[in-house]
Amino acid sequence: MLGPEVPYMSAIGALMYLANCTRPDIAFATNLLARYSSSPTRRHWNGIKHIFRYLQGTIEFGLYYSRNPEVGLVGFADAGYLSDPHKARSQTGYVFTYGGTAISGVPKNKLWLQRLQIMRKSLLSMKHVESVYG
């Protein structure tokens, strides 16, 4: 167990703010660590420090909102049956985009978010082909 000298709750609060406002890529890990807020251990604190190191290495990432977005709300969702074997829980992930920018969501994991980005790029390239040759 961590003592009161470790700012675990403050770190979780800061990470949740980032996950909700500008960095949805850390939402899964942050929410996972927030489950242990009542009795965090050194392992959980190391997880928080790992997220902060990731953020420092990817400081150029974030949400981008263009001035003239293509209008349209698009949603993606995924679920994994019993994907948390320790507690026998299923986990889900979703993301909603408006004008090509994520406005809401909880990614299931990093790999799922990468697949979503690849799928979005292929959809945009298909739209481009349709607009040129359609």
Side-chain angles (χ1 to χ4, degrees):
M1 292 277 295
L2 294 175
E5 71 278 357
V6 179
Y8 190 83
M9 292 296 288
S10 295
I12 286 290
L15 290 173
M16 298 221 27
Y17 177 80
L18 284 175
N20 286 329
C21 296
T22 62
R23 296 296 300 263
D25 54 332
I26 64 167
F28 178 80
T30 302
N31 289 329
L32 185 65
L33 290 169
R35 293 179 194 173
Y36 301 98
S37 294
S38 63
S39 58
T41 63
R42 179 64 53 189
R43 183 176 182 189
H44 301 120
W45 181 244
N46 289 338
I48 284 181
K49 290 192 297 186
H50 183 78
I51 294 174
F52 278 123
R53 284 191 297 269
Y54 168 77
L55 289 171
Q56 190 163 8
T58 58
I59 203 158
E60 71 279 358
F61 288 7
L63 297 178
Y64 171 74
Y65 296 98
S66 65
R67 286 182 167 228
N68 300 320
E70 55 183 69
V71 177
L73 181 67
V74 179
F76 300 94
D78 190 21
Y81 181 68
L82 290 179
S83 54
D84 184 0
H86 301 293
K87 296 200 176 190
R89 291 184 181 168
S90 299
Q91 294 177 338
T92 60
Y94 64 90
V95 85
F96 286 95
T97 63
Y98 183 77
T101 301
I103 57 170
S104 170
V106 177
K108 183 177 164 187
N109 57 36
K110 191 173 180 180
L111 180 63
W112 183 75
L113 193 58
Q114 288 171 346
R115 288 181 187 160
L116 175 67
Q117 290 170 346
I118 291 169
M119 187 170 63
R120 186 181 179 288
K121 286 179 184 177
S122 66
L123 285 172
L124 288 176
S125 64
M126 286 184 348
K127 284 184 180 179
H128 176 70
V129 169
E130 288 175 0
S131 68
V132 171
Y133 298 107

